[in-house]
Amino acid sequence: MSNRRLAETQPESFAFTPENEAWAKKEIAKYPEGRESSAVIALLWRAQKQNDYWLPRAAIEQVARMLDMPYIRALEVATFYTMFNLEPVGRHYVQLCGTTPCMLRGAEEIKKVCREKIGEPGHVTADGQFSWLEVECLGACCNAPMVQINDDYFEDLTPENFATLLDDLAAGRAVKTGSQTGRVGSEPQGGKLTALTTFYGVQEAVADAGSPAEAEGGAPDAAAEAEAAQEEAHIKAVLATLPKDATPEQKADAVGTRPPGLEAARDSKADNLQRVKGIGPVNERNLNALGVFHFDQIAGWSREQIRWVGAYLSFPGRIDREQWVVQADNLARGGKGWKD
Ligand code: FES
């Protein structure tokens, strides 16, 4: 590890805000008498956040005084842990993960964008907006590559979406935290796994039973409800970033991929899509206009395609909630519909 020294230019003094002072007292009180110095990392961290994400000498001295510990001990902690910045950083402080999973998934390309747009690691741009540093794993490896900017994580980065993200931050525009490609949680990149309903006989069981629980008029599946709610919230968050006059296609393109459509129904005979609970005459017309005429087309929709259609039809999350894909698969196999 390289030597870490205090910044050459230092402020005269540092004092916690009254709110942080009160917080620090509570933090110190968590430890037994004589062990108050155990709060050193927590207090240094708070001081750093208060001071635009860097620790001046006066802050380290103040923390040492509050914990009744020698200044050199607090300085040792501050200079040992790289989470403490000893020099000013940009208003948008980018910590880029360069550890193996992120490196294998393209962190080097993200680093190039940092160099092009910000400069060398540690350099603060002339307008004070940005600085960046490579750090070790930030614990979001499943959505690699990723960066942390101030307190927020930005995942599933590509050179393009990361460059746009920096431009948006520079212009003061709202940005989306988390996955930049719309991935929900840590699901696989191509959409959530359907192994349990596709490959292990569950669909056959569903087909034998005639229709899914909800199609039979039973209670909706709680897990499907929860997933649909999560999906809906995610899509709405993406859609909220679009201009108000965005077309249905623009909205749908922002969250997913258009499913392939047919020119016309096979053998000029479209399936009665209204046998899928949730598809009424209007939705059936809209789906036909998209080239969707058959149950097997809906049954084959990927996660990205479900998102696209949901956003296009202006009801994100409903396709999951009503289990159109499971229903359509059942019908394509000759099972019963909810009205049959
Ligand atoms: S390796 Fe990058 S977050 Fe873990």
Side-chain angles (χ1 to χ4, degrees):
M1 194 173 90
S2 59
N3 269 341
R4 284 165 40 82
R5 301 189 187 288
L6 298 181
E8 279 181 18
T9 309
Q10 292 282 335
E12 296 274 300
S13 61
F14 172 88
F16 275 120
T17 61
E19 185 200 13
N20 282 342
E21 175 106 25
W23 174 89
K25 283 186 181 145
K26 272 196 201 152
E27 198 64 22
I28 296 167
K30 288 180 183 171
Y31 299 95
E33 205 177 323
R35 302 282 180 189
E36 289 86 352
S37 58
S38 300
V40 63
I41 287 185
L43 265 63
L44 288 173
W45 184 249
R46 194 74 164 203
Q48 172 164 289
K49 275 192 90 168
Q50 181 183 312
N51 196 59
D52 298 330
Y53 288 92
W54 76 282
L55 267 182
R57 173 196 291 268
I60 303 169
E61 288 171 342
Q62 171 65 8
V63 168
R65 269 195 300 277
M66 288 173 78
L67 298 175
D68 198 21
M69 63 194 287
Y71 166 64
I72 185 65
R73 298 280 317 283
L75 181 66
E76 283 168 358
V77 174
T79 53
F80 179 79
Y81 291 106
T82 51
M83 63 198 255
F84 295 120
N85 297 314
L86 304 178
E87 292 185 296
V89 296
R91 269 193 296 287
H92 303 293
Y93 172 48
V94 180
Q95 297 180 73
L96 181 150
C97 172
T99 305
T100 313
C102 280
M103 188 265 284
L104 292 173
R105 298 266 304 155
E108 288 301 316
E109 295 304 307
I110 305 302
K111 228 184 273 182
K112 276 187 203 157
V113 177
C114 281
R115 285 208 155 85
E116 279 162 21
K117 287 195 165 278
I118 303 175
E120 288 305 302
H123 165 79
V124 181
T125 51
D127 58 5
Q129 289 257 47
F130 293 98
S131 66
W132 74 281
L133 215 55
E134 179 175 341
V135 297
E136 298 300 328
C137 178
L138 289 166
C141 332
C142 46
N143 289 356
M146 59 81 63
V147 300
Q148 177 178 349
I149 302 181
N150 298 347
D151 288 337
D152 294 316
Y153 275 18
F154 298 86
E155 302 153 8
D156 290 327
L157 297 175
T158 62
E160 293 76 26
N161 66 27
F162 181 55
T164 304
L165 173 65
L166 294 183
D167 289 344
D168 287 344
L169 286 170
R173 288 190 284 269
V175 295
K176 182 169 86 77
T177 56
S179 171
Q180 301 300 296
T181 58
R183 189 149 49 136
V184 177
S186 303
E187 70 183 16
Q189 202 167 19
K192 70 180 176 184
L193 281 176
T194 54
L196 291 178
T197 54
T198 306
F199 299 119
Y200 295 107
V202 175
Q203 278 194 338
E204 280 75 4
V206 167
D208 290 345
S211 63
E214 192 178 2
E216 292 283 11
D221 177 77
E225 274 289 315
E227 268 186 42
Q230 191 185 10
E231 177 79 357
E232 187 175 348
H234 163 71
I235 292 174
K236 282 184 175 166
V238 176
L239 295 180
T241 65
L242 299 180
K244 283 200 170 38
D245 56 354
T247 64
E249 281 89 353
Q250 286 169 331
K251 289 180 184 170
D253 287 344
V255 297
T257 310
R258 180 173 179 157
L262 299 171
E263 288 288 316
R266 293 191 288 263
D267 302 326
S268 305
K269 190 166 183 344
D271 291 335
N272 176 7
L273 299 183
Q274 293 182 48
R275 290 176 70 204
V276 173
K277 188 178 183 185
I279 299 182
V282 175
N283 283 335
E284 185 176 47
R285 262 200 312 279
N286 288 333
L287 288 169
N288 289 166
L290 291 173
V292 178
F293 299 97
H294 300 286
F295 298 128
D296 59 7
Q297 288 179 278
I298 298 174
W301 283 347
S302 68
R303 167 65 26 209
E304 290 290 306
Q305 291 167 347
I306 291 171
R307 284 187 188 139
W308 193 96
V309 178
Y312 182 82
L313 298 179
S314 297
F315 47 66
R318 201 171 119 189
I319 294 175
D320 284 324
R321 189 170 287 115
E322 295 172 340
Q323 302 183 43
W324 288 15
V325 171
V326 177
Q327 290 189 66
D329 184 70
N330 176 39
L331 288 160
R333 293 160 182 262
K336 290 181 181 173
W338 68 293
K339 281 182 182 165
D340 300 332

